[in-house]
Amino acid sequence: MTPAPEAEARQKIDALLVAAGWLVQDAAAAHIHAGRGIAIREFSLPGHGFADYLLYVDGKAAGVIEAKKVGSTLTGVEVQSTKYTQGLPAGLPRWHNPLPFCYESTGVETRFTNGLDPEPRSRNVFAFHRPEMLADLLDIAGTTGLPSDLGGASIAAEFQPQTFLARLQHMPELVTEGLWPAQIKAIQNLEFSLKENRPRALIQMATGSGKTFTSINFIYRLIKFAGARRVLFLVDRGNLGRQTLKEFQQFVSPYNNFKFSEEYIVQHMTSNVLDTTARVTICTIQRLFSMLKGRELPEELDEESMSELGSLFKEPEPIEYNPDFPIGSFDIIVTDECHRSIYNLWRQVLEYFDAYLIGLTATPSKQTFGFFNKNLVMEYGHPHAVADGVNVNYDVYRIKTSITEQGSAVEAGYYVDKRDRETREVRWEQLDDDVSYEAKQLDRDVVSVDQIRTVIQTFRDKLFTEIFPNRTEVPKTLIFAKDDSHAEDIVKIVREEFGKGNDFAQKITYRTTGAKPEDLISAFRNSYFPRIVVTVDMIATGTDIKACECVFFMRSVKSRAYFEQMKGRGVRIINDNDLQAVTPDAVTKDHFVIVDAVGVCEMDQTDSLPMERKKNVGFEKLLQAVAFGNAEPDVISSVAARLARMEKKLTTDEQAEVANLLDGKTLKELTGDLVEALDPDNHLVRAQKLFSVTEPDTKQMRQAAAQVIGEAVKPLCNPELRELLLAIKKKNEQIIDTVSTDTLIFSGFTEEKARGVVESFEQFIADNKDEITALQVLYSKPYKQRLRFEDVRELAEKLVAQVEQLQIYQTHPQGWEKRVPDELWAAYQKLQAGKVRGASANHILTDLVSLVRFAMHQDNELVPFPEKVQVNFRTWVEQQQTSGKSFTSEQRKWLEMIRDHIAANLQIETDDFDYAPFAQAGGIGKVWQLFGDGLNVILDELNEALAA
């Protein structure tokens, strides 16, 4: 017989209480000293009816539970349960009057109110707290637990229990020494949010602005001054956990000069054992999920980001209460890179514990805002960080090649290499048919050696002339590759093209062997070698490489948030001495450069949608999903289809290896089991057997299906089998195209930099039009005075000084001293190509006149100043001829020399004829001989007409 809804709810509540360490007793058989926590059913409260459960802690009444049927809304029940807390008969031992703890529960949903808090407010909890947890909350000096008629209530009234929330109201003033303004604001705003008892808070701070340091500061304060018992710091990869641990260990308290780890134990979890003495626990979110599920986590999964895995779960495998990890284990949960850790599979982990949630991210999505109840306590983006000098800005240098953009083809008859993707064993084969490939197949199905080489050669050739002019040391450069095999190819070609050894360029991926990845990362961060590191995604997020000045994309990225994180590897500031310690010829890190070889900066990235069904999910991700308990039909069906295709290509040795791990079964039989497990008829048979019914209901069918599918996928939970299957899957061959020759289509900085240069230049002109003589002259039409070369030189010097002072351009100031006109001209050419001539010319100082006139919209075209002088000169000569004047060939030669002098110097005076090139042709005497008394008139006219 199916129990009534209320009875069913109480059965679930009983089970939850027992799991949390409570002894559940009937009122008639109550024994309040049988354990630390006793839950007495149907306890009579005269004048108030019956409390569904009265909770005793250490022999004294502490709270009540009001049970309701599943589906009941619980906030409306709080009035009733609050009355029960006030109705305990006189003479019974209690902790406080009214009783401090109040639950409302359906067995599915539970709400809890801590009456010891200031302005108590109910909240959802995953399950019931353990008795020890409530005892800790009640452990206040001076409270006796005496019956109210013997003074217990009056004694209790004299004490204001100092709960975590209560202590938050009296935090000492923040010591701001050593903190940036944004960090100060983040800490103060967060503490204000916590004082208001807001359960979730989001801190958005740009990459490189010190999110972890900010977190350690507020964590320290919450432990020391608010009495937080334990804080959980969640990361999504093992190496980020190690990096975070080092930052905790290095933190020095501004209140007593002790290091954090000298005052409090900090645990970095590398196993499923929680150190209950630790005040801070650092853990990956995937390990915590495995712990709650009672599973061991394969070591390799602790080192990989699981951010994409959540999207494969249409209905995540539910987490159930685990007695080994009570819901009160943590007071605070800080989740780093929270934009990746709040979806589907991982959201349950965060909501399991009864703790305040604090999210850290540089790139929040709409769903991130929603999850944290739109409680954005700090918003500090990259532009603010650049303005404050906390981050550096970046330029984008684009490299386009023919094969990168369009793919290529190899004709039949050519010999090509074919390489095993896994073993990288190479064999030769003559093509019987033409092979064509698209750009998207590069480095997956086909490796075009010359495409990689052309990109790297362009980078090498432009590095010290355009990308980092006037430098001789290769800046610390991080290259993002598509996969481990692609990274291997890039490393080899980088070493060859730069003519350097193994130390110069190294690969750091999850498959790096020999040196530990963290040791290689440390060397990249702190040592001269390596100069160039190639990775896939191991250093894509969180990893701190302050000396990195170049981020090089040879792979595309679809996720906006992930792309921002990858770019963020270059934004961090570094002091000049530390930078020069690893890059001796660097002056200062005032910017970094993104080298974009695939057009990633031109793509439309999107926020990843947690419920999106991904059609092209990699085999590795599917197996990881199964390892984490995903038994959804779509996922299992996809795995079965991949295994079926794989089974047909197995060698005899591979069949034997699979059978050994499947206890004699073949891969074909495993595939068959998976397919059979998806058959609804099999679910029906299992449900009929499980529940002894002819027509199971929906819930029973779902439970039976989960059991059938779970049994079928159990072999795939073996990490050794998964590793073997992945190795076999990767043994498809890549064609190595050594035939196609790639060509460079374009290399140069992008419009983003050009726009910044132009805007800064035009703002400079507007701000200084009344201060700099050259600008005063150029702004006055007609000119109040003639523009002199000294005025233009002053303009150039002021402009360079402004660059050095304000860093208004993202390039090295020492490059601007000689290249001001070149850089400005290139920027206008990028933005307004149809109106700009002479982009490839070697510009001279007087070209600044043309630039200023164009910027002020006095000229419709940007033309080199000498070209404009040429046009004006031809017009003047024509006017002279029209008026009846003519010139001899020798006079014409001297007029052309005068023209060229004005083009370079803005004007000419008689003293100039004593210098080259005039002196070599006869000097002042010769010019007087040729032009006589008309010379001064001619010079005045040319000065006026040519420089106009």
Side-chain angles (χ1 to χ4, degrees):
M1 180 177 176
T2 303
E6 291 83 359
E8 184 179 4
R10 293 188 187 192
Q11 289 177 2
K12 292 178 178 178
I13 292 171
D14 282 359
L16 285 173
L17 284 168
V18 170
W22 294 85
L23 298 178
V24 182
Q25 302 172 351
D26 291 326
H31 181 359
I32 63 173
H33 296 291
R36 292 207 73 177
I38 308 296
I40 302 175
R41 302 188 191 96
E42 291 292 317
F43 192 94
S44 176
L45 299 172
H48 296 280
F50 289 84
D52 292 320
Y53 297 84
L54 179 65
L55 301 178
Y56 272 76
V57 175
D58 291 340
K60 291 168 272 188
V64 298
I65 301 173
E66 177 63 16
K68 292 295 178 184
K69 66 180 180 179
V70 175
S72 300
T73 55
L74 296 180
T75 54
V77 182
E78 291 166 357
V79 174
Q80 181 180 356
S81 50
T82 299
K83 288 181 179 179
Y84 293 158
T85 65
Q86 301 168 343
L88 192 68
L92 295 183
R94 73 199 71 200
W95 282 98
H96 296 287
N97 190 16
L99 301 180
F101 305 124
C102 188
Y103 295 89
E104 299 84 30
S105 181
T106 65
V108 174
E109 180 187 10
T110 301
R111 292 188 69 82
F112 168 67
T113 303
N114 182 358
L116 303 177
D117 281 335
E119 299 187 24
R121 182 195 306 162
S122 68
R123 60 182 183 264
N124 276 93
V125 290
F126 189 85
F128 296 104
H129 300 91
R130 291 188 62 82
E132 297 86 351
M133 168 75 177
L134 298 187
D136 286 344
L137 293 174
L138 293 164
D139 187 17
I140 301 162
T143 53
T144 64
L146 293 172
S148 58
D149 56 337
L150 296 179
S154 60
I155 292 175
E158 295 175 4
F159 289 88
Q160 295 298 320
Q162 291 297 296
T163 63
F164 175 70
L165 183 59
R167 286 188 292 268
L168 277 169
Q169 311 305 315
H170 307 288
M171 295 281 282
E173 185 175 348
L174 175 66
V175 175
T176 59
E177 184 179 354
L179 293 170
W180 291 332
Q183 296 170 337
I184 295 169
K185 184 177 179 182
I187 295 169
Q188 291 174 337
N189 288 358
L190 173 66
E191 290 183 359
F192 183 78
S193 174
L194 291 171
K195 288 177 183 178
E196 290 188 324
N197 196 18
R198 302 186 72 171
R200 299 180 183 183
L202 178 62
I203 295 175
Q204 177 197 358
M205 292 179 67
T207 299
S209 58
K211 292 192 298 294
T212 304
F213 183 70
T214 301
S215 302
I216 296 173
N217 271 275
F218 69 65
I219 288 171
Y220 180 85
R221 283 172 56 82
L222 293 176
I223 293 174
K224 188 171 189 67
F225 302 120
R229 294 168 303 112
R230 188 180 297 116
V231 177
L232 174 64
F233 196 104
L234 285 175
V235 295
D236 73 345
R237 292 203 312 276
N239 79 302
L240 296 184
R242 291 186 288 274
Q243 180 175 299
T244 302
L245 175 63
K246 289 181 181 178
E247 293 199 47
F248 270 98
Q249 292 170 336
Q250 294 168 358
F251 176 83
V252 177
S253 167
Y255 302 93
N256 56 24
N257 287 326
F258 284 112
K259 288 188 174 181
F260 197 112
S261 53
E262 291 174 342
E263 283 196 77
Y264 306 113
I265 296 173
V266 181
Q267 178 194 18
H268 177 212
M269 293 192 69
T270 55
S271 67
N272 285 9
V273 179
L274 178 65
D275 182 354
T276 56
T277 65
R279 302 299 292 273
V280 175
T281 298
I282 303 168
C283 183
T284 62
I285 198 161
Q286 55 265 35
R287 177 169 296 283
L288 196 59
F289 175 85
S290 297
M291 289 164 55
L292 293 177
K293 296 298 294 183
R295 303 170 183 157
E296 288 295 326
L297 181 72
E299 183 178 351
E300 72 275 8
L301 295 185
D302 209 24
E303 294 298 330
E304 295 188 35
S305 174
M306 297 287 105
S307 57
E308 296 179 11
L309 190 61
S311 63
L312 294 179
F313 285 75
K314 191 174 184 180
E315 293 183 5
E317 181 187 10
I319 289 176
E320 296 178 356
Y321 182 79
N322 187 331
D324 294 332
F325 302 99
I327 65 168
S329 297
F330 305 101
D331 288 334
I332 301 286
I333 297 177
V334 179
T335 174
D336 196 15
E337 306 301 351
C338 62
H339 60 278
R340 300 201 299 273
S341 59
I342 62 172
Y343 302 130
N344 290 23
L345 187 64
W346 312 129
R347 176 170 180 158
Q348 310 174 84
V349 176
L350 300 180
E351 295 180 337
Y352 176 88
F353 295 100
D354 180 30
Y356 291 94
L357 295 180
I358 302 168
L360 309 175
T361 184
T363 52
S365 66
K366 292 179 181 178
Q367 181 138 358
T368 313
F369 286 120
F371 178 81
F372 286 95
N373 303 331
K374 296 184 178 179
N375 184 26
L376 183 63
V377 299
M378 183 61 189
E379 184 176 14
Y380 188 69
H382 177 67
H384 293 99
V386 172
D388 289 347
V390 172
N391 279 183
V392 295
N393 212 340
Y394 62 88
D395 298 330
V396 178
Y397 191 88
R398 183 74 164 92
I399 297 176
K400 292 184 182 180
T401 75
S402 177
I403 293 179
T404 309
E405 298 293 306
Q406 303 161 10
S408 187
V410 184
E411 296 176 358
Y414 280 102
Y415 281 90
V416 297
D417 293 343
K418 288 199 170 181
R419 183 173 68 194
D420 186 295
R421 188 190 297 271
E422 178 69 14
T423 65
R424 295 181 66 82
E425 180 181 356
V426 178
R427 63 182 179 84
W428 270 27
E429 181 178 297
Q430 187 176 24
L431 293 179
D432 296 326
D433 300 299
D434 294 349
V435 172
S436 298
Y437 56 91
E438 299 176 2
K440 65 183 180 181
Q441 293 177 270
L442 278 173
D443 308 302
R444 305 288 192 192
D445 306 320
V446 181
V447 175
S448 173
V449 176
D450 201 54
Q451 181 265 340
I452 299 175
R453 194 175 302 280
T454 300
V455 169
I456 298 302
Q457 283 176 343
T458 303
F459 175 63
R460 178 201 64 196
D461 295 342
K462 304 292 186 179
L463 184 58
F464 301 132
T465 58
E466 294 183 9
I467 304 175
F468 288 90
N470 304 320
R471 296 273 288 272
T472 58
E473 300 276 2
V474 175
K476 289 280 186 175
T477 299
L478 180 62
I479 301 179
F480 287 113
K482 295 176 183 176
D483 55 27
D484 189 79
S485 179
H486 187 212
E488 191 83 12
D489 293 332
I490 293 171
V491 167
K492 182 180 69 174
I493 291 174
V494 165
R495 290 171 178 171
E496 291 174 3
E497 291 305 319
F498 279 87
K500 302 293 184 180
N502 295 346
D503 290 343
F504 177 79
Q506 294 180 359
K507 181 185 72 171
I508 304 179
T509 69
Y510 295 112
R511 302 186 64 186
T512 301
T513 57
K516 294 180 180 179
E518 55 263 36
D519 294 336
L520 293 174
I521 292 172
S522 177
F524 186 44
R525 179 186 293 123
N526 302 313
S527 303
Y528 180 79
F529 286 125
R531 304 308 303 166
I532 296 177
V533 157
V534 186
T535 190
V536 178
D537 60 5
M538 190 170 188
I539 315 178
T541 60
T543 306
D544 185 7
I545 310 290
K546 292 181 179 179
C548 180
E549 295 183 85
C550 186
V551 179
F552 196 152
F553 284 92
M554 294 184 72
R555 59 167 288 189
S556 60
V557 185
K558 295 179 181 178
S559 164
R560 179 189 63 84
Y562 194 42
F563 179 52
E564 292 297 324
Q565 288 290 321
M566 294 167 83
K567 288 196 302 184
R569 297 316 95 213
V571 303
R572 285 170 165 79
I573 60 172
I574 182 173
N575 71 58
D576 295 348
N577 290 336
D578 289 344
L579 176 62
Q580 291 158 16
V582 296
T583 306
D585 74 336
V587 177
T588 189
K589 184 177 177 181
D590 57 8
H591 77 299
F592 75 100
V593 175
I594 294 175
V595 177
D596 182 0
V598 292
V600 66
C601 295
E602 300 158 11
M603 298 175 183
D604 291 329
Q605 282 90 17
T606 59
D607 290 331
S608 57
L609 300 177
M611 295 303 293
E612 178 187 357
R613 301 305 296 162
K614 297 186 178 180
K615 298 179 181 179
N616 298 310
V617 179
F619 186 53
E620 183 174 7
K621 291 297 181 187
L622 289 171
L623 290 185
Q624 285 178 353
V626 172
F628 275 95
N630 190 320
E632 294 172 12
D634 286 349
V635 171
I636 303 305
S637 178
S638 296
V639 171
R642 310 283 178 97
L643 294 180
R645 290 196 297 269
M646 182 188 297
E647 189 271 333
K648 297 175 182 178
K649 301 177 183 179
L650 293 183
T651 65
T652 302
D653 289 343
E654 289 168 347
Q655 289 174 348
E657 288 183 86
V658 171
N660 182 51
L661 293 175
L662 286 174
D663 296 327
K665 271 190 175 183
T666 65
L667 190 60
K668 187 174 184 178
E669 289 172 322
L670 172 61
T671 305
D673 291 345
L674 295 177
V675 174
E676 286 290 314
L678 297 175
D679 188 342
D681 290 341
N682 291 329
H683 305 165
L684 175 62
V685 172
R686 180 64 63 90
Q688 290 171 334
K689 182 177 180 181
L690 274 177
F691 301 104
S692 302
V693 294
T694 304
E695 296 183 4
D697 59 26
T698 302
K699 181 178 179 181
Q700 292 168 332
M701 285 289 290
R702 189 182 299 120
Q703 291 178 356
Q707 190 177 97
V708 171
I709 295 173
E711 291 172 0
V713 302
K714 190 174 181 180
L716 293 173
C717 294
N718 181 350
E720 291 184 50
L721 178 62
R722 295 198 306 275
E723 186 176 342
L724 174 60
L725 293 176
L726 286 172
I728 294 172
K729 176 69 170 60
K730 289 180 179 177
K731 282 188 177 180
N732 60 317
E733 292 182 319
Q734 294 177 313
I735 294 174
I736 311 298
D737 178 6
T738 57
V739 177
S740 297
T741 301
D742 203 3
T743 55
L744 180 66
I745 297 174
F746 169 80
S747 66
F749 285 104
T750 62
E751 286 188 6
E752 188 173 357
K753 176 188 176 182
R755 188 170 293 107
V757 170
V758 166
E759 289 175 356
S760 297
F761 176 60
E762 293 181 355
Q763 186 64 50
F764 171 83
I765 292 172
D767 291 344
N768 292 276
K769 64 183 180 181
D770 298 323
E771 306 295 331
I772 299 175
T773 303
L775 298 180
Q776 291 175 343
V777 173
L778 291 170
Y779 258 92
S780 62
K781 294 183 68 177
Y783 302 145
K784 295 178 180 178
Q785 64 189 81
R786 184 171 293 165
L787 190 62
R788 300 175 305 155
F789 185 76
E790 289 75 13
D791 300 331
V792 177
R793 185 186 298 279
E794 179 201 18
L795 171 61
E797 290 173 352
K798 292 287 180 67
L799 185 57
V800 171
Q802 190 80 350
V803 170
E804 291 176 339
Q805 180 181 353
L806 300 179
Q807 299 179 353
I808 57 175
Y809 307 117
Q810 273 65 59
T811 187
H812 290 291
Q814 61 267 33
W816 276 83
E817 293 176 358
K818 298 179 180 179
R819 299 170 58 208
V820 171
D822 287 342
E823 292 284 349
L824 288 170
W825 216 278
Y828 277 111
Q829 169 70 22
K830 178 72 68 177
L831 299 176
Q832 302 181 57
K835 294 184 177 183
V836 179
R837 298 210 309 265
S840 60
N842 291 321
H843 295 283
I844 60 178
L845 197 59
T846 53
D847 280 329
L848 275 177
V849 176
S850 294
L851 286 161
V852 172
R853 287 173 175 167
F854 187 69
M856 296 190 307
H857 308 292
Q858 291 181 3
D859 293 343
N860 293 325
E861 283 189 312
L862 179 57
V863 179
F865 189 73
E867 284 190 28
K868 190 159 188 178
V869 169
Q870 287 267 16
V871 172
N872 292 342
F873 178 72
R874 285 194 297 270
T875 301
W876 180 82
V877 170
E878 289 172 0
Q879 290 173 348
Q880 299 302 307
Q881 292 172 344
T882 301
S883 65
K885 293 182 181 179
S886 61
F887 300 104
T888 66
S889 60
E890 191 171 13
Q891 285 177 322
R892 183 68 178 252
K893 177 182 177 183
W894 273 81
L895 290 173
E896 289 174 354
M897 286 195 293
I898 293 170
R899 174 202 65 193
D900 294 342
H901 184 87
I902 292 174
N905 299 277
L906 288 175
Q907 63 181 8
I908 190 166
E909 297 177 356
T910 54
D911 291 347
D912 294 325
F913 291 113
D914 291 331
Y915 303 98
F918 305 106
Q920 288 82 351
I924 187 66
K926 184 65 176 179
V927 75
W928 275 111
Q929 179 186 339
L930 288 172
F931 295 100
D933 294 338
L935 177 62
N936 288 332
V937 175
I938 289 174
L939 294 182
D940 287 341
E941 288 183 2
L942 290 177
N943 278 327
E944 185 74 27
L946 270 56

